[in-house]
Amino acid sequence: MAGVVPRPRPPPAAAARSLETGTKLHISNLDPGVTVDDVQELFSEIGELKRYSVNYDKDGKSQGTAEVVFARKVDALEAIKRYDGVILDGNPMKIDLIGNNSETSPMPPTAPLLYNPPFPNYPNRSVSTVP
């Protein structure tokens, strides 16, 4: 395969950095005048932010929503507790936890399968025939 150069793989550390960790919040019902700096200032009072943004449409108009990713789940839950329903620039914020970032809950116990009837299209092999 002369002339073909394989693409180098990213180092493992770079691949690990591309995986997002943290707890994401979706903030809605924002006044169009709320900026990314406003979001950063408000939510960084609670804890370390990994990422934050305000969502705009293709024309650059605010969609009235933002996303904030906290480094720690406890901080994200505190942000919901403190700011959900609080008025910011005239509008009450609506804050939702995005994704399932909670610890996995144990599976509920299930009853064991005690009887499994044979398939109707197959003969029941447990019955013997007497000649």
Side-chain angles (χ1 to χ4, degrees), residues 22 64 105:
S105 59

Side-chain angles (χ1 to χ4, degrees), residues 50-111:
K50 297 193 79 165
R51 188 171 54 82
Y52 50 91
S53 64
V54 173
N55 300 313
Y56 297 93
D57 66 14
K58 63 181 175 155
D59 298 322
K61 182 180 173 192
S62 173
Q63 295 180 334
T65 62
E67 289 183 357
V68 175
V69 179
F70 280 93
R72 297 178 341 140
K73 182 177 181 179
V74 67
D75 294 334
L77 296 175
E78 177 62 27
I80 294 171
K81 184 177 170 182
R82 189 183 300 184
Y83 293 136
D84 189 34
V86 170
I87 295 176
L88 176 66
D89 292 351
N91 290 352
M93 291 183 285
K94 173 78 172 108
I95 304 176
D96 296 301
L97 184 68
I98 299 298
N100 185 6
N101 294 338
S102 63
E103 293 79 26
T104 58
S105 59
M107 294 292 291
T110 58

Side-chain angles (χ1 to χ4, degrees), residues 106-125:
M107 294 292 291
T110 58
L113 185 60
L114 300 176
Y115 174 71
N116 190 7
F119 291 104
N121 294 338
Y122 293 97
N124 188 345
R125 297 192 187 259

Side-chain angles (χ1 to χ4, degrees), residues 18-74:
S18 68
L19 297 175
E20 182 165 328
T21 59
T23 303
K24 184 188 290 188
L25 298 180
H26 178 76
I27 301 96
S28 58
N29 198 38
L30 295 174
D31 181 86
V34 173
T35 66
V36 70
D37 291 333
D38 296 332
V39 169
Q40 187 270 336
E41 181 181 342
L42 182 67
F43 288 96
S44 66
E45 291 177 3
I46 295 177
E48 178 188 349
L49 302 180
K50 297 193 79 165
R51 188 171 54 82
Y52 50 91
S53 64
V54 173
N55 300 313
Y56 297 93
D57 66 14
K58 63 181 175 155
D59 298 322
K61 182 180 173 192
S62 173
Q63 295 180 334
T65 62
E67 289 183 357
V68 175
V69 179
F70 280 93
R72 297 178 341 140
K73 182 177 181 179
V74 67

